[in-house]
Amino acid sequence: MSASIASLSGRAIIPLIISYWPFPNKLVLMIFVHLPARDLRLMTQVSCLSRDLAAPLYFHSVGLSIEQKWLWINAQTCLALPLYSRTASFSAPQFLHCDLIGTSARDLTALQIFLESLMGIQSKPISSVLCFDAPPGVDLASLFQVIKNLGCSSFTYSSSDSEQLRTIVPTPVPGSDPGAVCSLRRLSLDSPMFFSPCVASLTLPTLQDCPLSSLSLTHTGLSSIKWAALLQSIHLLLLRMLTVDAHCPPHILANFLIRHQNIGQVWIHPGQTSVPLELQNHSLQKLRSHTSQQTSNSHLHKLTVLGGPSWYLVPLLAAIHPVDQGSQGSSPETKALGDLHSLVRQSTDTHSTAVVHHPLHHLTTRTHRLDPSSSW
């Protein structure tokens, strides 16, 4: 059987016998090494032999590589992924690093096909997936669903795009399978895209159904009222570490912490917020007046570290354990918290960050100057 190969350099090539090469493989490789990535990709589709010869050169030309079980993916490598999964050199990765900037719908489709092909062929599921900078128009929801179905334990998404997106309070997907098993243990969303209308329908079921031990929600674009609706709708029994941005009202976070007694570390991401709470919008006061849950005399026995802007920690600590300044017979815990309030208030500079160490009987605090341009 023969077939004519399309022109690689403007001229037609002599028809090749598909079943074998009439030249030594070494000579064919010498020819292939001078071909651009697009032509190498075409050569991988001619026959099994041409695929085996051209595929390594094609992968190298687009930058596809695995380094110590990490698979690095970008807009140039997405189309090579389905081919890579069918080659003899394929090695199932344990970690994925996906730089999605510049990807098209076609690229993401290829990525999804590759991820779906991994289901059932690995003795161990992918451990961690890191994604960055997906263009606004791509179907991020479908990609996220495939990643969840893979059974990976950690997912991180971050976006450097500062464009303001419309955000909504997530609601469950109608008709979703309530018995679906989610294996995510660590979830970090540093972007408003997961609270945009096209993805938010998957966000809340993920937060409700996954056995998360570590959760980070920063740069979400959520307002105070939306933060309240979100945190009041989830209950994570296994949560040990929580990070939120400073747009989450302190009393709402306090209510959440009191309902999650197993949390050991809480970090407040300052984000773009640099104004003390007393100067922020009065909507916080209106929201507080509608909060019925009482937080007085509450204890967080397992909380060991609390870090964030000093001006945020003062009202947060006051909401968790209000201090009666006029009480002379206060408990050691109340006295310790009163001392801590004083220590934190000494560093109410808007760029100062405090790290508070529990338990209550041994409270300490340290503060340092936070560079607004640095990452948290």
Side-chain angles (χ1 to χ4, degrees), residues 48-221:
C48 292
L49 180 57
S50 66
R51 181 189 66 192
D52 293 340
L53 293 175
L57 295 173
Y58 172 52
F59 298 150
H60 178 74
S61 66
V62 297
L64 182 64
S65 64
I66 283 190
E67 300 176 5
Q68 297 181 345
K69 299 182 180 181
W70 276 90
L71 177 59
W72 300 79
I73 300 171
N74 55 37
Q76 288 72 43
T77 60
C78 283
L79 294 180
L81 293 174
L83 171 64
Y84 172 61
S85 65
R86 301 194 304 270
T87 60
S89 61
F90 172 71
S91 175
Q94 289 190 10
F95 309 97
L96 292 181
H97 184 285
C98 306
D99 184 355
L100 302 178
I101 187 169
T103 54
S104 63
R106 183 187 180 196
D107 296 326
L108 283 191
T109 299
L111 175 56
Q112 289 181 218
I113 293 174
F114 170 74
L115 294 177
E116 290 171 352
S117 71
L118 297 179
M119 297 180 186
I121 67 171
Q122 295 175 268
S123 58
K124 294 183 179 180
I126 291 179
S127 298
S128 178
V129 177
L130 287 75
C131 293
F132 304 90
D133 295 320
V138 302
D139 186 6
L140 190 59
S142 296
L143 178 62
F144 183 44
Q145 184 64 64
V146 172
I147 292 173
K148 285 179 58 179
N149 294 342
L150 279 174
C152 66
S153 60
S154 176
F155 176 75
T156 298
Y157 181 85
S158 179
S159 176
S160 59
D161 189 359
S162 60
E163 180 182 358
Q164 294 295 321
L165 298 175
R166 183 169 70 91
T167 57
I168 62 175
V169 178
T171 55
V173 181
S176 59
D177 182 8
V181 178
C182 180
S183 302
L184 281 175
R185 299 293 192 275
R186 295 174 295 278
L187 179 64
S188 176
L189 305 177
D190 183 41
S191 171
M193 290 192 71
F194 276 78
F195 297 90
S196 61
C198 61
V199 189
S201 58
L202 282 176
T203 304
L204 184 59
T206 300
L207 294 174
Q208 291 178 331
D209 301 336
C210 295
L212 296 174
S213 60
S214 177
L215 175 63
S216 177
L217 301 174
T218 55
H219 295 109
T220 61

